[in-house]
């Protein structure tokens, strides 16, 4: 015999009470599985973006005007004294106004020297005295030149004529602005050979990317911008580097002896 529905309901309520259910929260049933499904939120409406300005690419300073002025001043110099004055009056090299330089430092040595030595730039003592290679590195260079029998046979200058801040190496831009003056100095002296002292000098004059340890002791041909002048050139280690690394003096001395031997040959060799 089936139980009365009311009795079944009472029995069920009693079971729920014992299980801890003491209140009905909703009148209508809810499908909890369906309600628990994740619903992807609707993406926000995209608004039209304002076109961003194209970024400006920094291509470096335009030095063409400064180079043109340097070329005109250099070409007008008929001797080394006029060239020195033109360099001192030139305002196109930023090194002149960066605070480290007090004056232009041009050159020292014999105006008809068979060997022209090119360093990178003046330091503190050179800036004070107005001559290149007069500090500790210059004194070492002079001793090496004397030992090789080259005293009085050299003309010494740099790739730039104003002291860089902190004695840093000159930049490619700074060297490019000063290049017309350096080339005119080479034309006026008309040496038999060039000795390029240090990496910045060798790279600038030879348009090479290798480091000085790869370039030193090798022969190259330096050419003027109009290719009318072609001179044998040898890179070597900078005396300042030799002061820091005395063990490298043997390499620099070997370079200098090789250059001197070629310089003193009766006739200029073809290779």
């Amino acid at each position: 015999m089936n139980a009365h529905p009311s009795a079944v309901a009472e029995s069920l309520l009693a079971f729920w009470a014992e299980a801890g259910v003491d209140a009905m929260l909703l009148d209508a049933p809810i499908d909890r599985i369906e309600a628990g499904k994740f619903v992807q939120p609707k993406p926000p409406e995209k608004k039209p973006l304002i076109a961003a300005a194209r970024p400006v690419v920094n291509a470096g300073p335009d030095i063409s005007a400064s180079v043109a002025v340097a070329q005109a001043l250099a070409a007008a110099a008929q001797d080394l004294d006029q060239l020195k004055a033109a360099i001192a009056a030139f305002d196109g090299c930023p090194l002149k106004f960066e605070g480290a330089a007090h004056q232009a430092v041009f050159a020292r040595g014999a105006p008809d020297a068979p060997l022209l030595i090119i360093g990178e730039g003046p330091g503190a003592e050179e800036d004070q005295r107005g001559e290149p290679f007069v500090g500790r590195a210059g004194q070492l260079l002079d001793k090496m030149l004397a030992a090789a029998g080259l005293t009085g046979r050299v003309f010494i200058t740099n790739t730039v004529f104003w002291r860089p801040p902190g004695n840093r190496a000159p930049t490619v831009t700074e060297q490019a602005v000063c290049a017309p003056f350096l080339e005119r100095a080479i034309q006026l002296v008309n040496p038999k050979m060039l000795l390029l002292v240090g990496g910045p000098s060798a790279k600038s004059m030879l348009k090479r990317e290798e480091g000085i340890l790869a370039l030193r002791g090798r022969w190259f041909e330096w050419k003027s911008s109009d290719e009318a002048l072609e001179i044998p050139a040898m890179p070597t280690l900078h005396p300042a580097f030799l002061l820091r690394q005395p063990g490298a003096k043997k390499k620099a001395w070997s370079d200098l002896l090789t250059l001197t031997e070629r310089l003193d040959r009766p006739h200029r060799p073809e290779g």
Side-chain angles (χ1 to χ4, degrees):
M1 183 176 180
N2 294 333
H4 193 275
S6 61
V8 173
E10 290 178 0
S11 175
L12 183 58
L13 288 173
F15 170 78
W16 284 346
E18 291 180 1
V21 178
D22 57 3
M24 297 295 292
L25 301 179
L26 297 173
D27 294 333
I30 296 178
D31 188 340
R32 299 293 179 181
I33 297 177
E34 183 66 25
K37 288 183 179 180
F38 175 76
V39 179
Q40 183 71 28
K42 184 179 180 181
E45 182 180 355
K46 292 184 178 180
K47 297 181 180 180
L49 298 177
I50 300 175
R54 181 174 295 179
V56 178
V57 178
N58 184 8
D62 183 3
I63 62 170
S64 56
S66 296
V67 171
V69 172
Q71 290 171 336
L73 291 173
Q78 299 303 306
D79 56 38
L80 292 171
D81 287 336
Q82 292 183 12
L83 184 60
K84 180 180 179 180
I87 292 172
F90 180 63
D91 291 337
C93 182
L95 287 174
K96 186 174 183 178
F97 306 102
E98 290 190 1
H102 295 89
Q103 61 179 322
V105 179
F106 174 41
R108 68 178 175 96
D112 57 348
L115 177 62
L116 197 149
I117 300 175
I118 304 172
E120 54 187 72
E125 292 189 53
E126 289 76 13
D127 177 64
Q128 291 176 0
R129 293 177 52 178
E131 291 183 327
F133 283 94
V134 293
R136 290 183 62 219
Q139 293 167 14
L140 175 58
L141 177 62
D142 285 345
K143 290 180 181 178
M144 295 175 66
L145 294 173
L150 293 171
T151 300
R153 303 175 63 195
V154 299
F155 185 87
I156 305 174
T157 187
N158 283 306
T159 62
V160 299
F161 308 107
W162 290 270
R163 179 191 176 193
N167 288 348
R168 63 165 172 78
T171 67
V172 174
T173 297
E174 293 158 355
Q175 290 175 320
V177 170
C178 293
F181 296 115
L182 178 55
E183 181 170 317
R184 184 58 177 155
I186 297 173
Q187 292 171 344
L188 291 171
V189 176
N190 194 26
K192 293 181 180 179
M193 295 179 189
L194 304 179
L195 181 64
L196 310 178
V197 179
S201 172
K203 291 182 180 181
S204 176
M205 297 300 293
L206 301 176
K207 306 297 186 288
R208 308 279 297 204
E209 295 298 327
E210 299 98 310
I212 189 59
L213 293 177
L215 294 173
R216 58 146 293 268
R218 298 164 56 190
W219 285 108
F220 298 88
E221 291 292 322
W222 172 84
K223 292 183 180 181
S224 58
S225 56
D226 59 2
E227 298 189 355
L229 193 60
E230 185 173 327
I231 302 175
M234 176 182 283
T236 192
L237 303 172
H238 198 285
F241 175 79
L242 301 180
L243 291 173
R244 298 191 300 269
Q245 301 288 338
K249 290 181 180 180
K250 183 177 180 180
K251 295 179 179 179
W253 178 242
S254 174
D255 297 342
L256 194 57
L257 290 182
T258 299
L259 182 143
T260 304
E261 187 276 331
R262 181 170 177 173
L263 185 66
D264 289 337
R265 288 177 189 172
H267 302 286
R268 176 180 169 181
E270 296 298 327

